Amino acid sequence: MKSHGGSESGGVPSTPRISAELARATAEEAVRAIAGGSSDLVRDLDVDQSRHVLPEPQSPEEKLALLHDPAPLRAVPPVAGVPRARAFWRERTVGVLTDISSGVRGMLWERTDLDTDALEIIGPHGDPARRLEQVRRCIAEDRAFVSVALCGSLQDLLVTSHPWAASLSVLAKVPGEPIAAAVATARQAMAADCSDAYRLLLPEGEWKLRTEDDVRHPVAPGYAILPKEFRTLPSPLPEQLCAHVQFVDDTASAITEALIGGQIPLAVYHGGHVLESAVVLVAAAHGFFVRPLTEGGTVLAPWRCTGLLASSLARGADIPGLVLGRYEINAKNLAQHLGRVPLAAR
């Protein structure tokens, strides 16, 4: 895994932070695992035709019994068709999530340069409260950890192939360093800590350090990402900011793809579980304006987003609603507008 582009030295910082390296390595493996789980679905299955037909009578007695119809048909193994569709997709989703977890663990255990022997790897399986408690114990005991959390619906991603449907949120920390974060979808990955931001270049598999010289294409005015809960706001949204609203189930995944990785200029991150909120720090470090969903909030610089994640982890609290924008004035105007909406409506 390489990094290029970057600061005045022309490359990665002179003192690489292990937390940031852990986050990048995890996100890179996650992209491969998600894409691999999706690509398997476009291949035809190796079908054993003998399992898909009714069993024929074998002995003379069975053939004779068919004349009088007293013999029941032998059981037929179920196939992955309509009768088992729900079970198939449940099993498939669990299988891909397990592959992602196994891939990340295997990759980290092989990274001898990152001293992963003492690393606590907290995967995407299980109860979020239990996983959060594991992270809090690591922080209290000053132990290194990597947390991988699923955002959105992995089944929706596998069924629809829509990259906004699901993503992975990665938080990493080793003693003496700030929290690092990364986000991964089926198509791309971004990573950051409080001072640097990276984008994974595919298919090269190289990490590019973001600099002020990076050029972005013009965004499309009026496009915005909002949580589906905002469909019924009592006051209309500003037309100049939200003429083309995309209401989504999971704002973290949509922001990763369409705001940071695309050309949509404005989004609302709907307050969510802290382990699923890596996108907040990633967006701020990648140059987006992040501010609270209130009338009088101020822009949260990357180091303040790092502090927000750290304090939320320590308290076991969710991340509050935030507005993220390519332009500060747009983020401010939308935050002020939504800040006047009664809390009950949100």
Side-chain angles (χ1 to χ4, degrees):
M1 179 168 51
K2 306 174 184 176
S3 298
H4 61 170
S7 58
E8 294 177 359
S9 64
V12 295
S14 57
T15 307
R17 286 173 290 278
I18 302 302
S19 300
E21 183 70 14
L22 285 169
R24 291 198 297 273
T26 302
E28 184 174 349
E29 182 63 31
V31 168
R32 293 196 180 103
I34 297 172
S38 299
S39 64
D40 284 346
L41 292 170
V42 302
R43 303 191 186 104
D44 291 332
L45 295 172
D46 292 328
V47 177
D48 178 1
Q49 294 293 343
S50 66
R51 294 170 56 87
H52 293 192
V53 297
L54 294 176
E56 295 292 333
Q58 302 298 317
S59 67
E61 290 77 12
E62 287 180 329
K63 294 177 181 178
L64 186 61
L66 287 179
L67 297 175
H68 306 284
D69 199 29
L73 291 174
R74 292 195 300 271
V76 181
V79 298
V82 174
R84 288 197 68 244
R86 289 186 178 85
F88 170 81
W89 285 109
R90 283 196 301 268
E91 293 163 5
R92 183 66 186 175
T93 302
V94 171
V96 172
L97 193 62
T98 300
D99 290 344
I100 293 170
S101 180
S102 299
V104 167
R105 289 177 183 276
M107 177 276 302
L108 290 176
W109 284 333
E110 291 174 1
R111 290 291 297 267
T112 56
D113 58 316
L114 297 178
D115 189 24
T116 54
D117 289 340
L119 180 69
E120 182 84 8
I121 304 172
I122 302 163
H125 290 284
D127 177 57
R130 181 185 60 79
R131 291 187 283 115
L132 177 57
E133 188 54 38
Q134 286 180 268
V135 171
R136 297 180 69 189
R137 275 201 308 271
C138 289
I139 294 174
E141 298 169 6
D142 206 23
R143 292 190 288 118
F145 71 87
V146 169
S147 165
V148 182
L150 176 66
C151 305
S153 169
L154 183 57
Q155 178 170 311
D156 287 352
L157 174 63
L158 296 175
V159 174
T160 66
S161 296
H162 197 312
W164 295 19
S167 61
L168 292 178
S169 169
V170 179
L171 298 177
K173 189 181 188 312
V174 301
E177 293 185 0
I179 290 174
V183 287
T185 70
R187 301 194 306 191
Q188 58 189 324
M190 273 81 72
D193 59 13
C194 58
S195 58
D196 291 315
Y198 295 84
R199 180 187 298 272
L200 180 64
L201 302 179
L202 293 173
E204 301 92 331
E206 298 177 346
W207 286 92
K208 182 183 183 300
L209 180 63
R210 179 183 177 274
T211 73
E212 294 301 323
D213 296 330
D214 289 343
V215 177
R216 289 175 171 154
H217 296 289
V219 296
Y223 280 84
I225 296 169
L226 298 180
K228 64 180 181 180
E229 292 83 355
F230 282 33
R231 286 182 184 273
T232 57
L233 288 176
S235 57
L237 292 163
E239 179 71 16
Q240 71 276 20
L241 298 178
C242 304
H244 309 283
V245 178
Q246 312 290 312
F247 291 102
V248 298
D249 291 320
D250 175 50
T251 52
S253 302
I255 288 169
T256 299
E257 277 289 324
L259 182 80
I260 309 175
Q263 309 307 321
I264 285 184
L266 196 59
V268 169
Y269 175 73
H270 198 235
H273 196 281
V274 61
L275 296 183
E276 301 171 12
S277 302
V279 69
V280 173
L281 173 55
V282 172
H286 276 264
F288 291 88
F289 294 94
V290 179
R291 59 186 305 130
L293 205 116
T294 59
E295 285 194 73
T298 58
V299 172
L300 304 181
W303 64 268
R304 289 189 64 186
C305 291
T306 301
L308 176 62
L309 288 172
S311 63
S312 296
L313 287 172
R315 294 182 290 110
D318 289 345
I319 297 294
L322 299 167
V323 175
L324 294 74
R326 182 74 60 88
Y327 307 115
E328 183 176 5
I329 187 63
N330 289 351
K332 178 180 179 180
N333 288 341
L334 184 59
Q336 289 182 338
H337 176 83
L338 294 174
R340 292 191 288 267
V341 176
L343 289 178
R346 289 187 262 146

